[in-house]
Amino acid sequence: MAKYIVELHFSDGEIVDDPDMKFDTEEDAYEYGLYLHSCMNTGKEILHMSNPGDYPLDDDADDDYEIVVKKA
């Protein structure tokens, strides 16, 4: 049976995944991906509020994620 994981593709070319987070359905993986994307955006906003000079909000950088199927 295929398992689903979320792979995050960042605007700087870095790709990150968590091999311990495996999902049985694509929908569950997609929801987890949305959660991670939300956390990244919230983190950027918090860093910007704490020190805008060091952490400017870059609206042009579009971090994205992709759901990848891997067989367990």
Side-chain angles (χ1 to χ4, degrees), residues 1 3 7 16-18 21 23 27 29 33 38 40 46 51-52 57-58 60 66 71:
M1 181 167 151
K3 294 285 186 174
E7 189 173 81
V16 178
D17 68 355
D18 184 356
M21 292 299 296
F23 300 92
E27 292 80 22
S38 173
M40 288 188 309
I46 290 171
N51 191 346
L57 283 180
D58 187 7
D60 294 335
E66 180 180 355
K71 295 185 180 183

Side-chain angles (χ1 to χ4, degrees), residues 1-69:
M1 181 167 151
K3 294 285 186 174
Y4 297 83
I5 66 166
V6 176
E7 189 173 81
L8 298 173
H9 293 244
F10 293 95
S11 57
D12 64 357
E14 182 181 6
I15 299 172
V16 178
D17 68 355
D18 184 356
D20 295 330
M21 292 299 296
K22 296 179 183 173
F23 300 92
D24 292 328
T25 66
E26 187 174 0
E27 292 80 22
D28 289 344
Y30 183 75
E31 286 182 21
Y32 183 67
L34 290 175
Y35 169 73
L36 291 177
H37 197 254
S38 173
C39 289
M40 288 188 309
N41 288 333
T42 301
K44 284 188 222 176
E45 291 174 10
I46 290 171
L47 286 172
H48 175 71
M49 287 187 297
S50 70
N51 191 346
D54 287 342
Y55 302 103
L57 283 180
D58 187 7
D59 293 333
D60 294 335
D62 185 26
D63 294 333
D64 201 8
Y65 63 94
E66 180 180 355
I67 297 172
V68 177
V69 177

